[in-house]
Amino acid sequence: MAAHTFFFFIFLFTNFCLYSSPTTLALFSTYHPPICHDHEKSALLQFKDSFTIDEKWLVPCDPKFEAWKVDGGEEASDCCMWDGIECDDITGHVISLDLSSSCLLGSINSSSTLFQLLHLRSLNLAYNRFNYSSIPSALGLLPNLTHLNLSYSFFSGPIPSSISNLSKLSSLDLSTYYGSKLKTNPDFKTLIGKLGNLQVLHLDRVNMSSTVPNDILAISSSLVSLSLVECNLRGEFPFTRIFQLLPKLEDLLLDSNPNLTGDNPFGVQDTSLSWMGNLAKLTHLSLGGSNLVGEIPSSLANLTNHSVLDISSNQLTGNGSKIVV
Ligand SMILES: *[C@@H]1O[C@H](CO)[C@@H](O)[C@H](O)[C@H]1NC(C)=O
Ligand SMILES: *[C@@H]1O[C@H](CO)[C@@H](O)[C@H](O)[C@H]1NC(C)=O
Ligand SMILES: *[C@@H]1O[C@H](CO)[C@@H](O)[C@H](O)[C@H]1NC(C)=O
Ligand SMILES: *[C@@H]1O[C@H](CO)[C@@H](O)[C@H](O)[C@H]1NC(C)=O
Ligand SMILES: *[C@@H]1O[C@H](CO)[C@@H](O)[C@H](O)[C@H]1NC(C)=O
Ligand SMILES: *[C@@H]1O[C@H](CO)[C@@H](O)[C@H](O)[C@H]1NC(C)=O
Ligand SMILES: *[C@@H]1O[C@H](CO)[C@@H](O)[C@H](O)[C@H]1NC(C)=O
Ligand SMILES: *[C@@H]1O[C@H](CO)[C@@H](O)[C@H](O)[C@H]1NC(C)=O
Ligand SMILES: *[C@@H]1O[C@H](CO)[C@@H](O)[C@H](O)[C@H]1NC(C)=O
Ligand SMILES: *[C@@H]1O[C@H](CO)[C@@H](O)[C@H](O)[C@H]1NC(C)=O
């Protein structure tokens, strides 16, 4: 066996030396990416078939399933060619599934065949209707997930702690509609504390009343975008420390948390405003409709890189006229 392999290698090698360029060219021009694996294809079809496709809904949606067939000719039978699917060029495994706004209606649980797609790196199921299912804890079994987007999809219940298993996660969007029943656990700190690569965290309208704002500080220092709009946050938000601990932060949105107070977000007492220096990267600061009290410092005007600044509906006073956004 070993000898056989050895001679085969010699054969390849001499061939390569003799016809180096043409062989290489031929290799590339006839290269076909691998077609999808049968078990992943059937997992996808069963996943799709576990839902009703309901196009009659207020929010426009577009089912991507025209080509999704067991047998639809050479091209259609390769699931890597289907709408919403991306496969790895070398292994042929499904690595990305984008079924956002695909008119899916129905429940989902951890037995779903979705969780057989073990190689997924990106999963987007935003803007479907999952009938107030819990977010399946089996998501914690997809070890290579870097992007998870389940926003505006009618999930309910607590965010499962298994999400903390997703150590490669860089973007998590679980934002939802007003009146949702999605909430964070009291151990939210443990959950996000393990997501060391997180850059984007959007949890708009997730009920975070059981989370102390200070727990946010457990988040990864690589965070770039944090959006916690209308999250029922209560208590003092650690503005001073967050800008020290999250030097890459560009977006901070905390609007409509009426019971949120600040440790002087604009540094009334801390006249040195040392944390302001850390705001240089901030391009979007939105704090409207919270209960922040204090005086807006004129130094805010120095933050020329703000593309959006909304500090309306707070009890802030001061020389706002100087602020040019
Ligand atoms: C939604 O869930 C309820 C019960 O939780 C069930 O009775 C109903 O059939 C489900 N609807 C769909 C479309 O799955
Ligand atoms: C999960 O959902 C499927 C249908 O999608 C259902 O047949 C099964 O009973 C559910 N399992 C659990 C544990 O609820
Ligand atoms: C996850 O990614 C690593 C590194 O890219 C790879 O070696 C491994 O096979 C992947 N695992 C799965 C289940 O795709
Ligand atoms: C976390 O991931 C490991 C390895 O992929 C797996 O064995 C374990 O069951 C997962 N835990 C949860 C809670 O999903
Ligand atoms: C989640 O998906 C929706 C729909 O595709 C998109 O609008 C939104 O920006 C995504 N969220 C993130 C954090 O990328
Ligand atoms: C948020 O969660 C708390 C505690 O879990 C609950 O008492 C409260 O009613 C919830 N708020 C909303 C708007 O659902
Ligand atoms: C804010 O706190 C007050 C008093 O504790 C409470 O009555 C009110 O419901 C809270 N509002 C929100 C949106 O949490
Ligand atoms: C504003 O942004 C530009 C480019 O994004 C950067 O070069 C510049 O240093 C920033 N200004 C400040 C005050 O940080
Ligand atoms: C704002 O910029 C002006 C002019 O560059 C500078 O004199 C002042 O110290 C700055 N203020 C703060 C708080 O950084
Ligand atoms: C506001 O700015 C103007 C012009 O720079 C200055 O004359 C005035 O004293 C400032 N008012 C306060 C309250 O800082």
Side-chain angles (χ1 to χ4, degrees), residues 285-301:
L285 176 64
S286 195
L287 305 169
S290 294
N291 196 24
L292 310 174
V293 182
E295 190 176 331
I296 302 167
S298 51
S299 60
L300 210 53

Side-chain angles (χ1 to χ4, degrees), residues 208-223:
M208 295 184 70
S209 69
S210 67
T211 301
V212 247
N214 251 332
D215 286 356
I216 304 286
L217 296 175
I219 216 162
S220 154
S221 61
S222 35
L223 204 74

Side-chain angles (χ1 to χ4, degrees), residues 75-273:
E75 213 160 80
S77 66
D78 179 3
C79 72
C80 297
M81 307 292 281
W82 294 350
D83 237 10
I85 313 268
E86 195 192 313
C87 295
D88 187 277
D89 282 342
I90 293 161
T91 65
H93 286 298
V94 176
I95 53 169
S96 172
L97 180 60
D98 182 352
L99 293 179
S100 55
S101 306
S102 294
C103 321
L104 298 176
L105 170 63
S107 305
I108 181 172
N109 62 35
S110 284
S111 319
S112 169
T113 56
L114 173 67
F115 304 109
Q116 293 172 17
L117 303 170
L118 287 177
H119 305 274
L120 275 182
R121 291 174 208 161
S122 176
L123 176 62
N124 190 340
L125 299 175
Y127 296 103
N128 289 290
R129 285 182 292 163
F130 295 115
N131 196 20
Y132 298 104
S133 310
S134 305
I135 294 180
S137 60
L139 282 166
L141 300 171
L142 304 175
N144 281 355
L145 220 47
T146 59
H147 290 77
L148 178 57
N149 190 337
L150 304 177
S151 59
Y152 302 99
S153 276
F154 295 91
F155 281 102
S156 71
I159 297 173
S161 54
S162 65
I163 299 259
S164 67
N165 224 10
L166 305 176
S167 57
K168 295 186 181 169
L169 208 57
S170 92
S171 170
L172 178 61
D173 190 349
L174 303 176
S175 297
T176 179
Y177 296 106
Y178 179 76
S180 85
K181 299 265 185 289
L182 205 55
K183 59 183 180 182
T184 51
N185 271 331
D187 66 352
F188 181 68
K189 186 179 179 176
T190 323
L191 188 149
I192 55 166
K194 290 187 179 157
L195 304 177
N197 290 309
L198 206 59
Q199 296 183 7
V200 176
L201 179 64
H202 292 178
L203 299 177
D204 295 354
R205 287 165 220 93
V206 172
N207 184 350
M208 295 184 70
S209 69
S210 67
T211 301
V212 247
N214 251 332
D215 286 356
I216 304 286
L217 296 175
I219 216 162
S220 154
S221 61
S222 35
L223 204 74
V224 172
S225 177
L226 179 64
S227 188
L228 304 174
V229 172
E230 215 169 344
C231 284
N232 213 354
L233 281 167
R234 301 144 192 265
E236 211 172 74
F237 192 85
F239 286 99
T240 313
R241 295 200 54 213
I242 202 164
F243 292 117
Q244 289 164 351
L245 294 174
L246 309 180
K248 297 188 175 149
L249 202 59
E250 289 176 11
D251 309 323
L252 178 62
L253 288 80
L254 295 169
D255 308 69
S256 305
N257 288 290
N259 287 355
L260 189 68
T261 58
D263 56 347
N264 288 320
F266 299 113
V268 191
Q269 269 127 41
D270 179 9
T271 43
S272 67
L273 304 175

Side-chain angles (χ1 to χ4, degrees), residues 7-20:
F7 283 117
F8 182 64
F9 180 77
I10 294 289
F11 171 78
L12 271 183
F13 184 71
T14 38
N15 253 341
F16 185 77
C17 292
L18 284 171
Y19 309 111
S20 177

Side-chain angles (χ1 to χ4, degrees), residues 295 318-319 321-322:
E295 190 176 331
N319 230 328
S321 58
K322 271 189 172 174

